[in-house]
């Protein structure tokens, strides 16, 4: 239980760290003092302090140096080392009054796997929390805050819940869970919420899963179901799923087999991959939204951010969904835009 002492010493040493900055309560970033970081680019900051199991650690993504705070001080600021050692020693032998800083209460949620998952429902976070701010900036509707999670260690989250042998950065992420019909999490996307050099999205899943369906079990299959490319896009539509991953674009999961489907792909006529998806769907007689030329936004989230509301976007989709010959004609116009 030394994380608050670690944090104190990180702050004490931060004065001699170039471009030091707290990115969140548990993540700080600076230029690496061990390797000196990039010499070409003086703004590159690849040193990270992060919290794990109630202690802070340092790691540089440039030179790979990783250490406890104690060893970090030993290398970078030996004058603080003695004081640090005494303080952490006392801490471990003195019963302490309640900590001022409230530790997040991580509660486990429905899962096949046993283990305490370090994740928190977004609806339980304060509005000031960086993850909450992230979803607020994207205007993600509040009803979704109960279904999304924040984790301070995506790798931990995945290793406990998901059958995935890949390791991920031990950093905080917004977690978008994929659940089966019993509400068990079987896959998850981790979206980066602070600036950084790691990929924006990670998708953790078992090897056997080819394509993942977000929100599959919560859509009403007796009403038209919209299929979009991104889970976040699906959150703005009243009855939508998102398909993520590889596999034939026309393949549907059993649950959607008899439903009326409208495909709503990104509005990117310059993207060869996406254009080929449109073509495949039209060739297979699927109903698909062909965005009118008046729409400049590239996806549903962008449309919402540009000021449209959910009903307007849905109306636009409904009015511009076609199949067969009509779809082909509209598609040919769309790709010339
Ligand atoms: Zn380094």
């Amino acid at each position: 239980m030394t994380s608050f002492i670690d944090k104190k010493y990180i702050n004490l040493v931060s004065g001699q760290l170039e471009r030091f900055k707290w990115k969140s309560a548990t993540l700080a970033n600076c230029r690496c003092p061990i390797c000196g970081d990039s010499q070409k680019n003086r703004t590159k900051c690849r040193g990270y302090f992060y919290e794990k199991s109630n202690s802070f650690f340092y790691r540089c993504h440039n030179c790979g140096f990783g250490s406890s705070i104690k060893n970090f001080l030993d290398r970078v600021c030996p004058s603080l080392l003695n004081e640090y050692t005494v303080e952490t020693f006392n801490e471990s032998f003195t019963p302490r009054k309640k900590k001022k800083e409230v530790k997040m209460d991580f509660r486990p949620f429905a899962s096949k796997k046993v283990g305490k998952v370090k994740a928190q429902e977004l609806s339980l976070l304060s509005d000031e929390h960086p993850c909450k701010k992230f979803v607020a900036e994207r205007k993600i509707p509040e009803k979704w805050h109960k279904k999304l999670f924040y984790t301070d260690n995506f790798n931990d989250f995945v290793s406990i819940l998901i059958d995935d042998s890949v390791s991920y950065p031990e950093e905080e992420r917004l977690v978008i869970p994929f659940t089966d019909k019993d509400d068990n999490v079987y896959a998850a996307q981790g979206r980066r919420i602070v600036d950084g050099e790691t990929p924006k999205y990670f998708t953790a899943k078992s090897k056997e899963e080819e394509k993942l369906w977000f929100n599959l079990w919560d859509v009403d299959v007796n009403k038209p179901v919209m299929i979009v490319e991104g889970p976040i896009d699906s959150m703005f539509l009243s009855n939508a799923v998102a398909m993520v991953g590889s596999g034939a674009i026309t393949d549907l999961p059993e649950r959607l087999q008899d439903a009326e489907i409208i495909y709503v792909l990104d509005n990117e006529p310059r993207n060869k991959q996406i254009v080929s998806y449109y073509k495949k769907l039209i060739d297979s007689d699927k109903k698909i939204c062909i965005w009118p030329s008046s729409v400049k936004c590239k996806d549903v989230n962008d449309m919402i951010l540009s000021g449209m509301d959910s009903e307007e976007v849905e109306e636009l989709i409904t009015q511009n969904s076609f199949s067969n010959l009509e779809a082909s004609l509209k598609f040919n116009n769309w790709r010339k835009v």
Side-chain angles (χ1 to χ4, degrees), residues 32 34-35 58 60 62-63:
C32 176
I34 306 293
C35 63
Y58 175 81
C60 169
N62 186 41
C63 63

Side-chain angles (χ1 to χ4, degrees), residues 223-236:
K223 291 181 186 164
V225 177
M226 295 180 178
I227 297 181
V228 296
E229 293 186 67
I232 292 182
D233 290 329
S234 75
M235 297 174 200
F236 300 101

